[in-house]
Amino acid sequence: MEKQIAVIRGDGIGPEIVNEALRVLEAVAEKYGHQFQYVDVDMGGIAIDRWGQALPREMLDRCLASDSVLLGAVGGPKWDGMPGDQRPEKGLLALRSGMGLYANNRPAKLWKQLAQASPLKQEIVEKGIDFIVVRELIGGVYFGEHRTDEVNGEQKATDVMSYSEHEIERIGRIAFETARKRRKKVTSVDKANVLDTSRLWRKVMHQLAEEYPDVEYADMLVDNAAMQIAKDPSQFDVVVTENMFGDILSDEASMITGSIGMIPSSSLGEGSRGLYEPIHGSAPDIAGQNKANPIGTILSAAMMLKYSFDMDEEAAAVETAVNQALDAGLRTADMMADGCRQVSCSEMGDAILGYLK
Ligand code: IPM
Ligand code: MG
């Protein structure tokens, strides 16, 4: 197969981790007889520096003209002082929305080799952690009006959160369909005791639940969900929630699995074109030092193979190679443990490539 992949290296550790993922994609192409063409896209801080905008139109168009998009990470202290609408993160939000990617899929799965690295008690970890956060990605407070006014001699800031029924229904469907392919359990997370958006969310989810009688359904308030993820994560299969709750809970979910550096994600809308990125940030403190964990990005590339290109076997081969590198005791600094060997970002890439070939 021939596929065109838009590649956004981004800021901080972005270029290093994307580099390793591209080497893995090339090894897959060679092994299975595919041709991948890569198109460079500037987004985030680097685009602000080069083009004066976090996501120039031309860059969005390159993504829209590709079969899929691979992203490292964006942002950094250099751009922290910029006004909200000119920050690197704005580019990421514009990309998600410009590509119509409303469904963000963030697996929280414990790699057995990393069980010791989980901050949870081992008796909790041993019950298993294997769930997915299905996060609504292009609505809610992230995309409502943002403003700061001068009122009665002081500043007053406002961020508007709103959801329409169709926005809730389409993400709900993704959650129920995903659950059907897994352990058939959906937990919908909201704050229906306080927010109107959450009450509407709950109403639409309940309507959907009737269409999926084979899927077990439960509502959970977001504060309780934060607690339950730490207390008994084995109870979750598919967690569906709005944009900001999903942002927060997916960080918590990744942490309990041992390392945020391991977690990939996919963002999809209608059609097969997606955006694939690790869920961690640009880690400016270790950028350029060849220390970062490339596995989240490598697994994101594997998700791209599976979900956008229907290359199940190729994706499984990448996951197996990652497993073998972990079995061999190789660890980047973020997940280093006793008895393991600490390796650099590129050494981890080398090892995974070795197992893949
Ligand atoms: C994420 C990130 C982004 C978000 C930031 C960088 C805008 O935290 O992908 O979770 O909040 O969505
Ligand atoms: Mg986040």
Side-chain angles (χ1 to χ4, degrees):
M1 274 202 237
E2 283 182 27
K3 295 287 178 194
Q4 179 173 314
I5 302 171
V7 177
I8 308 177
R9 290 180 174 76
D11 310 315
I13 57 171
E16 302 157 52
I17 53 179
V18 167
N19 205 23
E20 298 313 313
L22 292 180
R23 290 168 69 207
V24 167
L25 283 173
E26 272 313 282
V28 166
E30 198 174 316
K31 184 166 174 181
Y32 294 90
H34 302 303
Q35 287 206 322
F36 298 143
Q37 234 118 54
Y38 307 101
V39 179
D40 282 326
V41 170
D42 288 336
M43 193 269 279
I46 190 174
I48 294 175
D49 290 354
R50 281 194 188 150
W51 312 102
Q53 280 177 58
L55 182 67
R57 179 72 226 191
E58 149 80 14
M59 297 295 164
L60 173 60
D61 287 342
R62 285 187 198 176
C63 294
L64 292 171
S66 299
D67 295 303
S68 222
V69 184
L70 181 68
L71 164 66
V74 296
K78 180 174 174 193
W79 305 279
D80 273 352
M82 321 257 314
D85 61 346
Q86 288 165 38
R87 291 175 57 102
E89 290 81 358
K90 188 76 191 174
L92 181 57
L93 300 185
L95 182 65
R96 289 170 176 171
S97 141
M99 292 178 67
L101 307 173
Y102 60 83
N104 183 212
N105 209 319
R106 299 187 160 185
K109 191 175 165 183
L110 184 81
W111 291 73
K112 62 180 190 313
Q113 302 93 331
L114 301 184
Q116 304 294 331
S118 171
L120 296 185
K121 287 202 191 103
Q122 287 305 303
E123 69 224 48
I124 298 178
V125 173
E126 273 154 24
K127 288 171 76 183
I129 304 174
D130 180 8
F131 64 98
I132 291 192
V133 178
V134 174
R135 169 187 177 195
E136 198 292 323
L137 202 57
I138 54 175
V141 71
Y142 273 61
F143 291 90
E145 188 193 0
H146 305 288
R147 57 187 295 168
T148 306
D149 303 305
E150 204 59 39
V151 179
N152 298 333
E154 62 173 353
Q155 290 199 313
K156 178 177 177 182
T158 307
D159 300 284
V160 177
M161 180 192 265
S162 64
Y163 270 104
S164 308
E165 287 178 280
H166 78 273
E167 293 177 283
I168 303 169
E169 190 190 326
R170 64 186 181 185
I171 190 71
R173 267 192 205 288
I174 301 276
F176 282 99
E177 295 292 337
T178 305
R180 272 195 170 153
K181 295 186 204 137
R182 297 174 45 98
R183 300 195 307 278
K184 296 197 168 57
K185 188 173 175 193
V186 167
T187 308
S188 169
V189 172
D190 62 33
K191 188 71 186 171
N193 51 350
V194 177
L195 301 176
D196 261 37
T197 43
S198 283
R199 287 189 272 269
L200 184 62
W201 181 278
R202 208 174 257 215
K203 184 186 119 196
V204 174
M205 288 294 162
H206 285 192
Q207 286 164 355
L208 275 177
E210 285 181 19
E211 281 183 49
Y212 293 86
D214 52 319
V215 177
E216 191 188 326
Y217 176 87
D219 300 304
M220 193 177 277
L221 295 173
V222 63
D223 45 354
N224 184 28
M227 201 165 74
Q228 296 298 330
I229 288 174
K231 192 169 161 227
D232 179 17
S234 72
Q235 68 185 288
F236 296 113
D237 179 23
V238 175
V239 172
V240 61
T241 191
E242 68 88 37
N243 203 346
M244 187 164 64
F245 298 160
D247 177 46
I248 298 167
L249 293 182
S250 64
D251 263 36
E252 186 189 6
S254 69
M255 191 61 224
I256 62 167
T257 68
S259 173
I260 191 169
M262 295 287 297
I263 314 281
S265 77
S266 69
S267 304
L268 291 155
E270 306 302 335
S272 64
R273 185 190 307 112
L275 168 66
Y276 297 84
E277 51 174 321
I279 82 155
H280 61 70
S282 61
D285 52 321
I286 56 163
Q289 298 173 30
N290 197 17
K291 275 189 192 161
N293 184 351
I295 295 181
T297 318
I298 290 171
L299 292 173
S300 299
M303 281 183 109
M304 170 188 292
L305 296 172
K306 183 172 170 140
Y307 294 108
S308 282
F309 303 162
D310 270 328
M311 297 179 183
D312 289 14
E313 194 187 334
E314 290 84 335
V318 174
E319 279 163 24
T320 305
V322 168
N323 237 314
Q324 286 169 307
L326 295 176
D327 279 342
L330 305 182
R331 303 283 187 274
T332 42
D334 55 301
M335 51 178 179
M336 185 53 192
D338 286 350
C340 295
R341 186 156 77 82
Q342 189 166 326
V343 295
S344 66
C345 178
S346 57
E347 283 167 339
M348 183 58 91
D350 289 342
I352 293 168
L353 279 180
Y355 290 115
L356 195 59
K357 280 181 180 157

